[in-house]
Amino acid sequence: LGCGSGLFSKHLVEWGAHVKGCDISERLIELAKTQVPEAQFSVGEASQTLMPADSFDGVVSCLVLHYLDQLQPFFKEVSRILKKNGLFAFSFHHPMNEVVEGSFTSAKLFPYFSHREYKWTMVEGMELTSYHHTFDEIVSELAEAGFYIELLKEARPAEEVKLQFPDFFEKSIRLPFFGSPKRRAGKTSRSKSASCVLAASHRKIVPAGKLASPKVGDNRRASQPFPGRKASSRYRSRWR
């Protein structure tokens, strides 16, 4: 849900999943169909899809949550289209990052316990509107929609970042940071990266493949769903 141009859909297809993607942008769906012809894509609202009920083993949503003013309609829609015991994995802005504005040395702090609308610039000329949701709100809304949390991972800098960008490393272990250093034309710039990844099961806790801790600056391509330590042999992967 919120598949965009199909970047993560492509990974899921490579991992052997039968993928259906949905996004509100017609242009992005056109790109997704071109880049991932093995998957099926449609235009639609993430909180109000036309997908059949109880039809998916898993739902993945990358960096969509913070664009939603209200979470419950979205979580209920995911609950509706997931099979019982299905897995819902999604990433989102770290709530602490959403209330910090400015540099590390002169940051402005906004109230954490608030439902705040904020604007930010992804690239020059592209201003986006997002909404601050606390961990408390996210967990409560998930529970109300019938989910149990299996795993939460917060992004942290990879060890190789410490060697190449020691100042950035020290700053980003002090405060959850939505970005990573990246070399470009001999200069250091920042590229966006997910700050939190959460996995929740639908209606019943059934441990699945573990999510690797998302590391800022680690761009290696994964070779299996949610790479990391393998799940116990007692459980079968639901991603197929």
Side-chain angles (χ1 to χ4, degrees):
L1 295 179
C3 63
S5 62
L7 178 62
F8 201 78
S9 298
K10 182 176 177 61
H11 290 316
L12 290 173
V13 168
E14 291 172 348
W15 295 335
H18 299 287
V19 177
K20 289 186 178 181
C22 176
D23 197 279
I24 194 172
S25 170
E26 293 184 11
R27 176 55 180 154
L28 289 177
I29 288 297
E30 290 177 6
L31 290 173
K33 289 179 178 179
T34 301
Q35 297 185 34
V36 196
E38 304 90 341
Q40 300 177 40
F41 296 99
S42 61
V43 177
E45 293 270 1
S47 299
Q48 200 171 17
T49 74
L50 298 178
M51 306 291 187
D54 304 314
S55 57
F56 294 98
D57 295 308
V59 170
V60 176
S61 183
C62 299
L63 299 176
V64 170
L65 209 67
H66 44 266
Y67 295 119
L68 305 175
D69 185 14
Q70 301 297 323
L71 300 182
Q72 193 56 210
F74 176 59
F75 288 156
K76 284 187 175 180
E77 178 64 3
V78 175
S79 176
R80 185 187 71 82
I81 64 177
L82 265 181
K83 295 178 182 178
K84 187 174 183 179
N85 300 329
L87 184 68
F88 175 33
F90 61 96
S91 58
F92 53 98
H93 286 183
H94 195 292
M96 274 301 298
N97 180 266
E98 294 178 319
V99 297
V100 177
E101 185 177 281
S103 66
F104 285 100
T105 56
S106 59
K108 179 179 180 181
L109 297 178
F110 294 91
Y112 177 79
F113 293 103
S114 65
H115 187 74
R116 186 175 75 93
E117 175 185 306
Y118 63 97
K119 298 184 184 297
W120 59 287
T121 302
M122 179 175 288
V123 294
E124 186 176 352
M126 185 178 180
E127 187 178 66
L128 301 174
T129 300
S130 294
Y131 301 89
H132 170 59
H133 302 290
T134 65
F135 277 118
D136 183 7
E137 179 186 0
I138 294 170
V139 170
S140 297
E141 298 289 352
L142 278 171
E144 185 175 336
F147 289 98
Y148 288 87
I149 293 175
E150 292 191 5
L151 191 65
L152 170 68
K153 289 291 185 181
E154 297 176 286
R156 60 192 66 192
E159 284 300 315
E160 51 265 36
V161 172
K162 184 176 183 179
L163 299 176
Q164 297 180 12
F165 310 100
D167 291 340
F168 175 88
F169 182 88
E170 290 301 320
K171 293 174 181 177
S172 57
I173 61 175
R174 294 173 182 271
L175 178 71
F177 191 52
F178 192 77
S180 64
K182 183 179 181 181
R183 290 280 186 195
R184 182 182 301 165
K187 298 181 179 180
T188 301
S189 61
R190 283 169 53 186
S191 62
K192 296 299 182 180
S193 175
S195 285
C196 292
V197 179
L198 190 149
S201 60
H202 187 224
R203 301 192 183 101
K204 181 179 179 182
I205 300 177
V206 180
K210 291 185 178 293
L211 287 165
S213 176
K215 294 184 177 180
V216 172
D218 186 352
N219 294 318
R220 292 170 295 180
R221 174 172 283 188
S223 60
Q224 62 178 7
F226 307 124
R229 292 176 294 170
K230 292 184 178 180
S232 168
S233 58
R234 293 172 56 197
Y235 308 106
R236 295 180 298 169
S237 171
R238 293 194 290 267
W239 298 93
R240 49 180 187 267

